[in-house]
Amino acid sequence: MAGAASWSFSEDDFKQIQQHLQAFLRDSNARCALLVDRTGQLVATVGETPTFDPTAFASLTAADFSANDQLAKMIGEPEFASLVHQGEKESMYLADVAKRVILVVLFDQRATLGLVKIKAKSVVENLNKVFEAMFNRVGAGPAQKKGLLEGAEDEIDKLFG
Amino acid sequence: MSMINYASREINCKLVYYGPGLGGKTTNLEHIYGKVAPNVRGKMISLATETERTLFFDFLPVDLGTIRGFKTRFHLYTVPGQVYYNASRKLILKGVDGIVFVADSQIERMEANVESMQNLYDNMAEYGYDLTKIPFVIEYNKRDLPNAAPIKDLQAALNPGWPIEDAAQQKVQPDATHPGENLVEKVGAEWVGRAPYYEAVAMRGDGVFDTLKAVSKLVLKTLS
Protein backbone atom coordinates (compact mmCIF):
# COMPACT_ATOMS: atom_id res chain seq x y z
CA MET A 1 0.00 0.00 0.00
CA ALA A 2 1.43 3.35 -1.02
CA GLY A 3 -0.39 5.27 1.67
CA ALA A 4 -3.50 5.18 3.75
CA ALA A 5 -6.75 4.43 1.96
CA SER A 6 -9.11 7.32 1.53
CA TRP A 7 -12.79 7.22 2.16
CA SER A 8 -15.72 9.40 1.42
CA PHE A 9 -19.33 9.58 2.41
CA SER A 10 -22.44 10.76 0.66
CA GLU A 11 -25.29 12.90 1.88
CA ASP A 12 -27.38 9.74 2.38
CA ASP A 13 -24.71 8.26 4.65
CA PHE A 14 -24.64 11.51 6.53
CA LYS A 15 -28.41 11.50 7.05
CA GLN A 16 -28.35 7.94 8.35
CA ILE A 17 -25.56 8.77 10.77
CA GLN A 18 -27.43 11.81 12.02
CA GLN A 19 -30.64 9.87 12.56
CA HIS A 20 -28.87 7.20 14.62
CA LEU A 21 -27.11 9.83 16.71
CA GLN A 22 -30.25 11.88 17.28
CA ALA A 23 -32.12 8.82 18.52
CA PHE A 24 -29.19 8.02 20.80
CA LEU A 25 -29.14 11.53 22.30
CA ARG A 26 -32.86 11.36 22.95
CA ASP A 27 -32.59 7.98 24.70
CA SER A 28 -29.47 8.73 26.73
CA ASN A 29 -30.09 12.36 27.70
CA ALA A 30 -26.57 13.20 26.57
CA ARG A 31 -25.90 16.73 25.28
CA CYS A 32 -23.92 16.17 22.18
CA ALA A 33 -22.39 13.40 20.07
CA LEU A 34 -19.46 13.80 17.71
CA LEU A 35 -17.93 11.38 15.24
CA VAL A 36 -14.23 11.76 14.64
CA ASP A 37 -12.15 9.61 12.34
CA ARG A 38 -8.95 8.03 13.62
CA THR A 39 -6.80 10.58 11.81
CA GLY A 40 -8.46 13.40 13.74
CA GLN A 41 -10.96 14.68 11.19
CA LEU A 42 -14.41 15.64 12.42
CA VAL A 43 -17.08 13.63 10.60
CA ALA A 44 -20.33 14.73 12.24
CA THR A 45 -21.74 16.66 15.21
CA VAL A 46 -25.26 16.15 16.52
CA GLY A 47 -27.03 17.75 19.47
CA GLU A 48 -26.07 20.95 21.26
CA THR A 49 -23.56 22.98 19.28
CA PRO A 50 -20.22 22.76 21.08
CA THR A 51 -18.85 26.01 22.46
CA PHE A 52 -15.25 24.86 21.88
CA ASP A 53 -13.29 24.60 18.64
CA PRO A 54 -14.54 21.28 17.22
CA THR A 55 -11.59 20.83 14.83
CA ALA A 56 -9.04 21.05 17.63
CA PHE A 57 -11.26 18.86 19.78
CA ALA A 58 -11.36 16.19 17.05
CA SER A 59 -7.58 16.06 16.64
CA LEU A 60 -7.07 15.73 20.40
CA THR A 61 -9.72 13.01 20.59
CA ALA A 62 -7.98 10.94 17.93
CA ALA A 63 -4.63 11.38 19.70
CA ASP A 64 -6.19 10.44 23.04
CA PHE A 65 -7.78 7.32 21.60
CA SER A 66 -4.61 6.26 19.76
CA ALA A 67 -2.46 6.76 22.84
CA ASN A 68 -4.86 4.67 24.91
CA ASP A 69 -4.84 1.98 22.23
CA GLN A 70 -1.10 1.66 22.64
CA LEU A 71 -1.40 1.62 26.43
CA ALA A 72 -3.93 -1.22 26.09
CA LYS A 73 -1.49 -3.24 24.01
CA MET A 74 1.27 -2.66 26.56
CA ILE A 75 -0.81 -4.21 29.31
CA GLY A 76 -1.84 -7.12 27.11
CA GLU A 77 -5.29 -5.98 25.94
CA PRO A 78 -6.01 -5.89 22.21
CA GLU A 79 -7.71 -2.51 22.65
CA PHE A 80 -9.80 -0.31 24.92
CA ALA A 81 -12.98 -0.21 22.88
CA SER A 82 -14.33 2.60 25.04
CA LEU A 83 -12.95 5.28 27.35
CA VAL A 84 -14.53 7.49 29.98
CA HIS A 85 -13.31 10.89 31.14
CA GLN A 86 -15.34 11.94 34.12
CA GLY A 87 -15.41 15.53 35.33
CA GLU A 88 -17.29 17.23 38.12
CA LYS A 89 -20.01 18.56 35.82
CA GLU A 90 -19.11 17.56 32.29
CA SER A 91 -18.02 14.10 31.18
CA MET A 92 -17.06 12.33 27.97
CA TYR A 93 -17.56 8.81 26.77
CA LEU A 94 -15.58 7.58 23.76
CA ALA A 95 -16.21 4.39 21.83
CA ASP A 96 -14.70 2.75 18.77
CA VAL A 97 -16.83 2.46 15.62
CA ALA A 98 -15.75 0.05 12.87
CA LYS A 99 -12.06 0.48 13.89
CA ARG A 100 -11.89 3.69 11.87
CA VAL A 101 -14.07 6.19 13.66
CA ILE A 102 -14.56 7.30 17.27
CA LEU A 103 -17.92 8.18 18.79
CA VAL A 104 -17.55 10.93 21.39
CA VAL A 105 -20.47 11.58 23.71
CA LEU A 106 -20.57 14.70 25.89
CA PHE A 107 -22.93 14.55 28.84
CA ASP A 108 -23.60 16.34 32.10
CA GLN A 109 -25.47 15.57 35.32
CA ARG A 110 -28.75 15.16 33.44
CA ALA A 111 -27.46 11.83 32.14
CA THR A 112 -25.81 8.96 33.96
CA LEU A 113 -22.74 7.12 32.79
CA GLY A 114 -24.59 3.80 33.02
CA LEU A 115 -27.37 4.93 30.70
CA VAL A 116 -24.92 6.50 28.24
CA LYS A 117 -22.93 3.25 28.16
CA ILE A 118 -25.98 1.07 27.55
CA LYS A 119 -27.46 3.29 24.85
CA ALA A 120 -24.05 3.80 23.25
CA LYS A 121 -23.70 0.07 22.79
CA SER A 122 -26.65 -0.13 20.44
CA VAL A 123 -25.85 3.05 18.53
CA VAL A 124 -22.31 1.77 18.00
CA GLU A 125 -23.74 -1.43 16.52
CA ASN A 126 -25.89 0.58 14.12
CA LEU A 127 -23.05 2.90 13.19
CA ASN A 128 -20.75 -0.08 12.63
CA LYS A 129 -23.13 -1.28 9.94
CA VAL A 130 -23.35 2.12 8.27
CA PHE A 131 -19.58 2.61 8.22
CA GLU A 132 -18.75 -0.91 7.12
CA ALA A 133 -21.12 -0.52 4.18
CA MET A 134 -19.46 2.81 3.41
CA PHE A 135 -15.93 1.39 3.50
CA ASN A 136 -16.92 -1.59 1.37
CA ARG A 137 -18.19 0.81 -1.23
CA VAL A 138 -14.83 2.60 -1.58
CA GLY A 139 -13.58 1.94 -5.07
CA ALA A 140 -17.08 1.46 -6.45
CA GLY A 141 -20.18 3.57 -6.66
CA PRO A 142 -20.63 7.31 -6.93
CA ALA A 143 -19.22 8.31 -3.57
CA GLN A 144 -15.64 7.38 -4.33
CA LYS A 145 -12.73 9.75 -4.26
CA LYS A 146 -10.99 8.82 -7.49
CA GLY A 147 -12.04 11.11 -10.25
CA LEU A 148 -13.38 13.81 -7.96
CA LEU A 149 -10.57 16.12 -8.97
CA GLU A 150 -9.92 14.43 -12.30
CA GLY A 151 -8.85 16.97 -14.85
CA ALA A 152 -8.58 19.60 -12.12
CA GLU A 153 -4.78 19.92 -12.43
CA ASP A 154 -5.15 23.44 -13.82
CA GLU A 155 -7.35 24.47 -10.93
CA ILE A 156 -4.88 22.98 -8.47
CA ASP A 157 -2.00 24.83 -10.16
CA LYS A 158 -3.98 28.06 -10.04
CA LEU A 159 -4.77 27.59 -6.35
CA PHE A 160 -1.06 27.56 -5.57
CA GLY A 161 -0.18 30.37 -7.96
CA MET B 1 -6.07 9.10 4.44
CA SER B 2 -7.93 11.94 2.84
CA MET B 3 -11.58 12.16 3.74
CA ILE B 4 -14.15 13.57 1.36
CA ASN B 5 -17.35 14.84 2.90
CA TYR B 6 -19.98 15.24 0.23
CA ALA B 7 -22.47 16.60 2.77
CA SER B 8 -20.34 19.60 3.77
CA ARG B 9 -18.38 19.59 0.48
CA GLU B 10 -14.96 19.35 2.07
CA ILE B 11 -11.78 17.47 1.29
CA ASN B 12 -9.77 16.87 4.45
CA CYS B 13 -6.11 15.90 4.23
CA LYS B 14 -3.44 15.28 6.84
CA LEU B 15 0.11 16.61 6.51
CA VAL B 16 2.85 15.69 8.96
CA TYR B 17 6.05 17.66 9.59
CA TYR B 18 8.74 15.18 10.62
CA GLY B 19 12.41 15.59 11.49
CA PRO B 20 15.02 15.74 14.25
CA GLY B 21 14.47 17.62 17.51
CA LEU B 22 14.94 21.40 17.40
CA GLY B 23 14.98 21.33 13.61
CA GLY B 24 12.16 23.87 13.21
CA LYS B 25 8.98 21.84 12.70
CA THR B 26 6.97 23.81 15.25
CA THR B 27 8.49 27.06 13.91
CA ASN B 28 7.11 26.18 10.45
CA LEU B 29 3.62 25.83 11.88
CA GLU B 30 3.93 28.97 13.97
CA HIS B 31 4.92 30.95 10.92
CA ILE B 32 1.96 29.60 8.94
CA TYR B 33 -0.34 30.38 11.85
CA GLY B 34 0.97 33.95 12.00
CA LYS B 35 0.69 34.62 8.28
CA VAL B 36 -2.55 32.95 7.27
CA ALA B 37 -5.73 35.03 7.61
CA PRO B 38 -7.65 34.08 10.77
CA ASN B 39 -10.77 33.17 8.77
CA VAL B 40 -9.00 30.36 6.95
CA ARG B 41 -7.22 28.79 9.85
CA GLY B 42 -8.29 27.22 13.11
CA LYS B 43 -6.72 27.27 16.52
CA MET B 44 -3.15 26.04 16.89
CA ILE B 45 -2.84 23.33 19.52
CA SER B 46 0.57 22.52 21.01
CA LEU B 47 1.10 19.64 23.36
CA ALA B 48 4.50 20.68 24.62
CA THR B 49 6.63 20.40 27.75
CA GLU B 50 7.27 23.39 30.02
CA THR B 51 10.43 24.08 28.04
CA GLU B 52 8.43 24.28 24.81
CA ARG B 53 9.66 20.97 23.44
CA THR B 54 6.92 19.14 21.58
CA LEU B 55 5.64 16.31 23.74
CA PHE B 56 2.96 14.80 21.54
CA PHE B 57 2.20 17.07 18.58
CA ASP B 58 1.33 20.53 17.33
CA PHE B 59 -1.81 20.86 15.27
CA LEU B 60 -3.00 23.56 12.90
CA PRO B 61 -5.94 23.32 10.49
CA VAL B 62 -5.83 25.57 7.39
CA ASP B 63 -8.12 25.97 4.37
CA LEU B 64 -6.13 26.37 1.20
CA GLY B 65 -8.96 27.25 -1.17
CA THR B 66 -11.81 25.72 -3.12
CA ILE B 67 -11.54 23.26 -5.99
CA ARG B 68 -14.56 22.03 -7.90
CA GLY B 69 -16.77 23.45 -5.17
CA PHE B 70 -14.95 21.50 -2.45
CA LYS B 71 -13.17 23.29 0.36
CA THR B 72 -9.61 21.90 0.69
CA ARG B 73 -8.89 21.64 4.38
CA PHE B 74 -5.40 20.59 5.48
CA HIS B 75 -4.60 19.44 8.97
CA LEU B 76 -0.96 20.16 9.74
CA TYR B 77 0.75 18.14 12.46
CA THR B 78 4.28 18.10 13.82
CA VAL B 79 5.77 15.15 15.65
CA PRO B 80 8.05 15.30 18.70
CA GLY B 81 11.56 15.16 17.27
CA GLN B 82 13.34 13.81 20.30
CA VAL B 83 14.40 10.20 19.82
CA TYR B 84 12.72 8.80 22.93
CA TYR B 85 9.25 9.95 21.92
CA ASN B 86 9.00 7.41 19.13
CA ALA B 87 5.79 5.79 20.38
CA SER B 88 3.85 9.05 20.16
CA ARG B 89 5.62 10.04 16.94
CA LYS B 90 4.40 6.90 15.26
CA LEU B 91 0.78 7.57 16.29
CA ILE B 92 0.76 10.91 14.48
CA LEU B 93 1.69 9.24 11.19
CA LYS B 94 -1.52 7.26 11.18
CA GLY B 95 -3.55 8.13 8.09
CA VAL B 96 -1.01 10.66 6.76
CA ASP B 97 -1.51 12.02 3.22
CA GLY B 98 1.70 13.98 2.82
CA ILE B 99 5.01 14.41 4.66
CA VAL B 100 7.45 17.26 5.06
CA PHE B 101 10.82 16.30 6.46
CA VAL B 102 12.33 19.35 8.15
CA ALA B 103 16.09 18.82 8.20
CA ASP B 104 18.43 20.90 10.33
CA SER B 105 21.14 22.14 7.96
CA GLN B 106 23.81 22.51 10.65
CA ILE B 107 26.76 20.19 10.08
CA GLU B 108 26.61 19.06 13.71
CA ARG B 109 23.03 17.84 13.19
CA MET B 110 23.79 15.66 10.17
CA GLU B 111 23.72 12.46 12.19
CA ALA B 112 20.42 13.44 13.89
CA ASN B 113 18.92 14.14 10.45
CA VAL B 114 19.95 10.76 9.10
CA GLU B 115 18.67 8.99 12.19
CA SER B 116 15.33 10.76 11.99
CA MET B 117 14.96 10.00 8.26
CA GLN B 118 15.65 6.33 8.94
CA ASN B 119 13.10 6.43 11.75
CA LEU B 120 10.54 7.94 9.37
CA TYR B 121 11.06 5.15 6.82
CA ASP B 122 10.78 2.55 9.58
CA ASN B 123 7.62 4.00 11.12
CA MET B 124 5.95 4.38 7.75
CA ALA B 125 6.83 0.80 6.86
CA GLU B 126 5.22 -0.40 10.08
CA TYR B 127 1.91 1.06 8.88
CA GLY B 128 2.49 -0.47 5.45
CA TYR B 129 2.95 2.96 3.83
CA ASP B 130 5.63 3.46 1.20
CA LEU B 131 7.36 6.81 1.56
CA THR B 132 8.54 6.72 -2.06
CA LYS B 133 4.94 6.58 -3.26
CA ILE B 134 3.22 9.25 -1.18
CA PRO B 135 3.62 13.04 -1.39
CA PHE B 136 6.93 13.76 0.30
CA VAL B 137 8.95 16.98 0.41
CA ILE B 138 12.20 17.82 2.21
CA GLU B 139 12.84 21.23 3.72
CA TYR B 140 16.46 22.13 4.51
CA ASN B 141 15.99 24.59 7.33
CA LYS B 142 18.38 27.07 8.99
CA ARG B 143 20.12 27.92 5.71
CA ASP B 144 21.20 31.26 7.20
CA LEU B 145 23.51 29.75 9.80
CA PRO B 146 27.26 29.92 9.18
CA ASN B 147 27.65 26.23 10.01
CA ALA B 148 25.00 25.10 7.49
CA ALA B 149 26.20 22.14 5.41
CA PRO B 150 26.19 22.52 1.61
CA ILE B 151 22.93 21.39 -0.06
CA LYS B 152 24.85 18.84 -2.08
CA ASP B 153 26.02 17.09 1.11
CA LEU B 154 22.54 17.18 2.65
CA GLN B 155 21.03 15.77 -0.53
CA ALA B 156 23.63 12.98 -0.62
CA ALA B 157 22.90 12.02 2.98
CA LEU B 158 19.13 12.49 3.15
CA ASN B 159 17.78 12.36 -0.39
CA PRO B 160 20.07 10.04 -2.34
CA GLY B 161 17.15 8.69 -4.37
CA TRP B 162 15.24 5.46 -4.64
CA PRO B 163 15.17 3.09 -7.61
CA ILE B 164 12.35 3.61 -10.10
CA GLU B 165 11.42 0.21 -11.41
CA ASP B 166 8.17 1.04 -13.17
CA ALA B 167 9.13 1.51 -16.85
CA ALA B 168 6.29 4.00 -17.35
CA GLN B 169 7.90 6.35 -14.85
CA GLN B 170 11.42 6.01 -16.22
CA LYS B 171 11.63 9.40 -17.87
CA VAL B 172 13.54 12.50 -16.89
CA GLN B 173 11.47 14.79 -14.70
CA PRO B 174 13.10 18.17 -14.21
CA ASP B 175 12.96 19.84 -10.81
CA ALA B 176 11.01 23.03 -11.51
CA THR B 177 12.45 24.88 -8.52
CA HIS B 178 16.10 23.97 -9.14
CA PRO B 179 17.07 24.48 -12.79
CA GLY B 180 19.51 21.88 -14.03
CA GLU B 181 18.41 19.31 -11.46
CA ASN B 182 15.99 16.42 -11.93
CA LEU B 183 13.53 14.66 -9.65
CA VAL B 184 13.70 11.53 -11.79
CA GLU B 185 16.82 10.71 -13.78
CA LYS B 186 19.12 7.93 -14.86
CA VAL B 187 22.19 7.52 -12.69
CA GLY B 188 24.59 5.04 -14.26
CA ALA B 189 22.42 2.16 -15.38
CA GLU B 190 19.63 2.82 -12.88
CA TRP B 191 16.66 5.20 -12.79
CA VAL B 192 16.29 7.04 -9.50
CA GLY B 193 13.65 9.30 -8.03
CA ARG B 194 14.16 11.97 -5.37
CA ALA B 195 11.88 13.99 -3.15
CA PRO B 196 11.54 17.67 -4.08
CA TYR B 197 13.47 19.89 -1.67
CA TYR B 198 13.26 23.49 -0.51
CA GLU B 199 15.69 25.71 1.37
CA ALA B 200 14.27 27.55 4.34
CA VAL B 201 14.89 29.86 7.26
CA ALA B 202 11.72 29.06 9.19
CA MET B 203 12.43 31.68 11.89
CA ARG B 204 12.07 34.37 9.21
CA GLY B 205 9.48 32.44 7.26
CA ASP B 206 11.69 31.98 4.19
CA GLY B 207 10.70 28.86 2.26
CA VAL B 208 7.93 27.88 4.69
CA PHE B 209 5.05 28.50 2.28
CA ASP B 210 7.01 27.10 -0.69
CA THR B 211 7.27 23.84 1.22
CA LEU B 212 3.62 23.84 2.30
CA LYS B 213 2.37 24.65 -1.19
CA ALA B 214 4.54 21.96 -2.75
CA VAL B 215 3.34 19.18 -0.48
CA SER B 216 -0.32 20.25 -0.57
CA LYS B 217 -0.27 20.37 -4.34
CA LEU B 218 1.19 16.88 -4.49
CA VAL B 219 -1.53 15.63 -2.13
CA LEU B 220 -4.34 17.17 -4.19
CA LYS B 221 -2.83 15.74 -7.35
CA THR B 222 -3.08 12.26 -5.91
CA LEU B 223 -6.87 12.83 -5.94
CA SER B 224 -6.93 13.90 -9.57
Side-chain angles (χ1 to χ4, degrees), chain A:
Chain A
M1 185 167 57
S6 296
W7 61 288
S8 58
F9 59 96
S10 66
E11 299 201 38
D12 283 346
D13 298 324
F14 195 67
K15 272 186 205 145
Q16 271 198 68
I17 292 169
Q18 277 190 315
Q19 280 164 3
H20 285 306
L21 291 176
Q22 272 155 356
F24 162 72
L25 289 183
R26 224 175 21 244
D27 297 344
S28 64
N29 250 351
R31 290 174 44 206
C32 169
L34 299 99
L35 279 177
V36 175
D37 93 339
R38 292 275 190 134
T39 71
Q41 323 260 20
L42 184 66
V43 178
T45 314
V46 173
E48 285 177 31
T49 312
T51 50
F52 48 77
D53 176 348
T55 315
F57 185 85
S59 80
L60 290 170
T61 301
D64 179 27
F65 215 79
S66 300
N68 277 290
D69 233 18
Q70 293 303 309
L71 292 173
K73 289 193 176 78
M74 282 180 165
I75 64 163
E77 280 290 324
E79 59 174 5
F80 294 139
S82 63
L83 300 172
V84 180
H85 297 311
Q86 207 155 7
E88 229 170 85
K89 289 184 187 138
E90 305 289 332
S91 300
M92 296 168 53
Y93 175 81
L94 299 93
D96 170 73
V97 176
K99 306 272 177 229
R100 294 269 288 268
V101 186
I102 304 158
L103 167 69
V104 187
V105 183
L106 301 180
F107 62 98
D108 57 20
Q109 290 130 322
R110 287 172 289 175
T112 62
L113 175 59
L115 186 63
V116 168
K117 271 186 173 174
I118 292 170
K119 297 294 177 189
K121 208 176 160 199
S122 63
V123 77
V124 164
E125 277 171 22
N126 292 332
L127 291 172
N128 274 337
K129 286 182 202 144
V130 177
F131 277 96
E132 270 155 23
M134 218 187 287
F135 297 144
N136 289 336
R137 220 172 41 219
V138 170
Q144 56 158 318
K145 63 128 194 176
K146 282 287 173 202
L148 170 70
L149 297 182
E150 205 176 332
E153 270 93 353
D154 286 356
E155 256 184 273
I156 297 172
D157 286 338
K158 219 183 284 167
L159 190 64
F160 295 105

Side-chain angles (χ1 to χ4, degrees), chain B residues 15-30:
Chain B
L15 301 180
V16 174
Y17 283 69
Y18 210 93
L22 297 175
K25 300 176 290 297
T26 302
T27 310
N28 263 268
L29 256 65
E30 282 170 348

